[in-house]
Amino acid sequence: MKFSILTLFPEMFSALDESIIGRAKENKLIDINVINIRDFSKDKHKKVDDTPYGGGAGMVIMPDVVYNAYKSINDDKAKVIYLSPQGKVFNQSKVKQLSKEEHLILLCGHYEGIDQRVIDEIVDEEISIGDYVLTGGELPAMVLIDSISRYIKGVLSEESIEEESFSDGLLEYPQYTRPEKFLGKEVPEVLKSGHHEKINKWRKEKSLEITRVKRPDLIIKKED
Ligand code: 4H6
C-alpha cells in the first residue's frame, strides 16, 4: 500500500516513524511519500495562499500549486481523498474498503481550505474524521494512514487480527495484567483458570455488555 500526502506541513508526518506504523515502513509493508505543496510555488517568496474572493477572514490555498504538486505524483489511477469537515464521516467499514486500494493520495487543507476549482478537478472522495474543526487536514490524514495500515498483511500479528475478528463490530472486552491484586482489586478469577472455553465465553459476554451500555448504536447497525 502506498500513501502520497500533499501538505504544507510535511514535518508533522514524522509521527508515523514511531511504533507499529514506523515498523511497517521499515519492513516496506507500506510506503509513505510526503510532498510539500510549497515546493510547487513558482513565486519568488514561495507563496501558496491568497485572500478569498468575496472577502472574509483568513487565506485560501491557491489551485495551481496544489495541481502541480498533484501532477508530480504522476499516477492517474491513485484515489485522491480530501480531508475536510464537509466529508462523509470516516468509520471502520470505510477503513476496510480503502485498505484494498493500491495508492491513496491524501490532500491536506490548512488556513480556510483550498480553492474549490482544484478540489473539483482532482478529488475522488471527501472524508471527515468526525464532527469537529481542526486547523488542518494533517491529523485526519494520519488517522486514515494508521487505521488503514492495520489491515495490510504483516503489519499486525496474526494473534491481534484473530482477537479483533473475535469481537467483530463490538467493543473490546477488558484486559488485565500483573499484579494479581491492585489497590485491593483482584483480576477476574476466570482469566486465571486456564480454561479457554470459559475465558472465551466470559470475553464474548463482556464485549456485548460493554457495547450495550456504552455504544448501543453499534449493536443495531453493524455495517453501512
Ligand atoms: C479542508 C477545508 C478535517 C481542511 C477546510 C479538516 C476538521 C476535519 C480544513 C478546513 C479540518 C475533520 C480549516 C475549515 C480551518 C475550518 C482543515 N478540520 N478547515 N473533521 N480542517 O476531518 O477552518
Side-chain angles (χ1 to χ4, degrees):
M1 164 70 86
K2 181 168 178 173
F3 298 98
S4 294
I5 303 154
L6 295 168
T7 177
L8 285 171
F9 299 92
E11 286 159 350
M12 288 181 72
F13 293 87
S14 63
L16 301 173
D17 293 341
E18 303 290 337
S19 186
I20 295 170
I21 304 303
R23 178 158 29 90
K25 285 172 67 177
E26 285 168 9
N27 295 343
K28 307 275 171 78
L29 300 172
I30 60 171
D31 180 14
I32 300 177
N33 171 28
V34 186
I35 296 138
N36 189 348
I37 293 169
R38 195 173 298 281
D39 291 346
F40 295 84
S41 172
K42 293 199 169 100
D43 182 90
K44 65 174 176 220
H45 301 109
K46 298 262 156 185
K47 182 182 164 71
V48 292
D49 56 2
D50 209 333
T51 54
Y53 274 111
M59 301 293 270
V60 176
I61 301 170
M62 298 182 294
D64 53 338
V65 283
V66 172
Y67 191 68
N68 291 335
Y70 164 73
K71 282 294 186 183
S72 79
I73 299 169
N74 197 29
D75 181 358
D76 54 17
K77 298 255 162 64
K79 170 167 275 192
V80 180
I81 297 173
Y82 183 41
L83 291 313
S84 120
Q86 297 184 10
K88 270 194 76 180
V89 180
F90 198 48
N91 62 22
Q92 198 67 20
S93 82
K94 182 56 83 175
V95 172
K96 284 188 198 175
Q97 186 193 316
L98 292 178
S99 71
K100 288 161 184 138
E101 296 284 338
E102 203 169 307
H103 186 187
L104 294 176
I105 297 175
L106 305 175
L107 174 58
C108 304
H110 227 93
Y111 314 118
E112 301 312 306
I114 301 175
D115 186 298
Q116 190 61 40
R117 292 167 293 178
V118 70
I119 303 301
D120 295 343
E121 183 67 27
I122 70 173
V123 171
D124 298 304
E125 239 182 281
E126 198 166 346
I127 291 179
S128 161
I129 61 160
D131 292 334
Y132 40 81
V133 178
L134 301 167
T135 57
E138 285 78 11
L139 289 169
M142 286 188 260
V143 166
L144 264 66
I145 292 169
D146 188 290
S147 57
I148 292 166
S149 297
R150 296 178 69 258
Y151 280 90
I152 304 304
K153 189 152 176 58
V155 171
L156 296 184
S157 67
E158 288 294 333
E159 203 184 17
S160 303
I161 294 163
E162 274 171 45
E163 276 206 21
E164 186 153 305
S165 61
F166 177 82
S167 55
D168 177 41
L170 298 176
L171 298 179
E172 294 284 326
Y173 51 77
Q175 302 277 10
Y176 299 87
T177 187
R178 277 176 283 278
E180 255 186 66
K181 195 170 184 177
F182 171 69
L183 301 180
K185 294 174 198 286
E186 303 267 7
V187 171
E189 205 55 45
V190 62
L191 300 180
K192 299 186 284 178
S193 68
H195 195 308
H196 292 291
E197 204 93 298
K198 279 187 182 165
I199 292 171
N200 282 346
K201 182 169 173 284
W202 182 88
R203 285 177 165 172
K204 279 236 162 73
E205 285 166 2
K206 282 289 175 190
S207 262
L208 258 170
E209 177 194 321
I210 289 165
T211 310
R212 210 156 37 221
V213 172
K214 295 188 174 175
R215 292 294 307 277
D217 55 305
L218 294 181
I219 294 179
I220 305 157
K221 62 151 226 184
K222 276 197 85 172
E223 209 81 272
D224 70 5

